[in-house]
Amino acid sequence: MNYNKERYPENIVGLLIYADEVAKNILIEINSPSCKKVGELYNVINGKITRDKKKFDELGYSPNESKEFKGLYIFGEEIGSRIIPVYVGISRTIYRRLRQHAWGKKHNECTLAI
């Protein structure tokens, strides 16, 4: 049982195999030429940073009723000729959180300046 007294999955080995497959697919996707950098998803005009709605839409990420998108995101670092995942985040406000990571003004926002 875990800390919350919940049972572990019956087929934990199968779950670990699946997690390994997902991790391998992430490595493939993050190294794909079509994988976008944060700076490619936003426009900076006269110091104002706005998301490029067309680029997000092309990737299949459309805003919900609160004009946001929730989900998981992964940042990588280029080492040699490969991109290696170095940061995984989850947020209810992806558009805002990505902007904060890249252009945030406070020390607790701007973790990955571009």
Side-chain angles (χ1 to χ4, degrees):
M1 290 206 193
N2 69 11
Y3 72 95
N4 205 23
K5 305 220 186 291
E6 299 166 327
R7 292 188 166 276
Y8 289 116
E10 295 278 330
N11 185 5
I12 198 154
V13 172
L15 182 61
L16 292 172
I17 290 169
Y18 175 69
D20 189 56
E21 290 172 14
V22 169
K24 287 176 184 173
N25 286 332
I26 287 170
L27 283 174
I28 291 168
E29 289 298 320
I30 205 168
N31 280 282
S32 165
S34 64
C35 187
K36 301 290 184 210
K37 296 178 181 175
V38 174
E40 296 173 308
L41 298 171
Y42 291 82
N43 299 312
V44 181
I45 301 170
N46 297 327
K48 185 175 180 182
I49 299 131
T50 57
R51 71 180 165 91
D52 188 326
K53 294 177 184 177
K54 183 179 177 187
K55 287 186 182 172
F56 275 102
D57 287 345
E58 287 171 357
L59 292 170
Y61 302 115
S62 299
N64 57 25
E65 60 279 348
S66 63
K67 301 201 183 330
E68 259 298 345
F69 180 80
K70 61 183 173 179
L72 181 129
Y73 56 94
I74 300 171
F75 288 122
E77 179 180 358
E78 189 170 3
I79 299 174
S81 61
R82 304 270 305 150
I83 305 293
I84 306 300
V86 295
Y87 184 88
V88 177
I90 188 168
S91 178
R92 288 186 204 111
T93 57
I94 292 286
Y95 301 138
R96 182 176 64 195
R97 190 67 188 114
L98 291 178
R99 188 179 64 240
Q100 286 173 335
H101 274 297
W103 295 278
K105 303 224 184 296
K106 299 176 185 170
H107 75 283
N108 63 337
E109 289 180 341
C110 190
T111 54
L112 301 167
I114 53 174

